[in-house]
Amino acid sequence: MTGKIAVSTTDAPAPAHTFSQGVRKGPFVQVSGQGPVDPATNEYLYPGDVGAQTIRTLQNVKAIVNASGATFDDVVMLRVYLTTRDDFAAMNDAYGEFVVANTVGDVLPSRTTVFTGLPREQMLVEIDAIAVISD
């Protein structure tokens, strides 16, 4: 596989703008930033609950990773964007629960957390990912 391939699944929300849910090139997979959106209804879920939003967001990331041919265990990096520092502890607890439950072995993905504004007011968290598929 030498060219880029768009990764798409109905198990994660369709992009609202002109980008792919994910892109695979060779063994590398980049998942676009995901939010707490129900893929069936495109509704933002869990207003004000960053823990529940984090779990839903990671479920969306995982669905795109899986659609690429990778597994969540192939994720090497997750970037978390939060709207406020006050949500860090709740996000971190939910994140830890999800990542540990979906990772085989003791090597967890790397992570960066950034505090910033997000595209929709109801979004408290956005997460993107990089995975590497081993043959």
Side-chain angles (χ1 to χ4, degrees):
M1 176 185 314
T2 57
K4 292 190 301 186
I5 297 173
V7 177
S8 180
T9 179
T10 58
D11 293 331
H17 301 286
T18 53
F19 57 86
S20 300
Q21 286 176 315
V23 174
R24 178 174 175 183
K25 183 167 172 112
F28 298 99
V29 178
Q30 174 68 58
V31 175
S32 292
Q34 298 297 303
V37 178
D38 182 317
T41 64
N42 277 328
E43 297 292 324
Y44 283 82
L45 302 174
Y46 315 113
D49 185 344
V50 74
Q53 284 195 8
T54 298
I55 297 295
R56 176 71 256 175
T57 300
L58 285 166
Q59 289 169 340
N60 292 339
V61 168
K62 181 180 176 185
I64 297 165
V65 167
N66 290 347
S68 77
T71 68
F72 195 82
D73 203 47
D74 294 316
V75 173
V76 295
M77 178 66 174
L78 291 157
R79 282 181 293 247
V80 178
Y81 304 89
L82 288 173
T83 58
T84 177
R85 194 175 306 273
D86 294 339
D87 284 342
F88 181 81
M91 176 283 296
N92 203 44
D93 289 344
Y95 172 96
E97 178 184 315
F98 185 93
V99 170
V100 168
N102 287 278
T103 301
V104 178
D106 296 331
V107 181
L108 301 175
S110 298
R111 185 181 89 189
T112 297
T113 303
V114 177
F115 302 100
T116 188
L118 293 174
R120 300 286 297 260
E121 186 176 335
Q122 59 269 55
M123 286 178 73
L124 302 176
V125 63
E126 183 175 10
I127 301 173
D128 69 8
I130 300 171
V132 180
I133 301 172
S134 53
D135 293 325

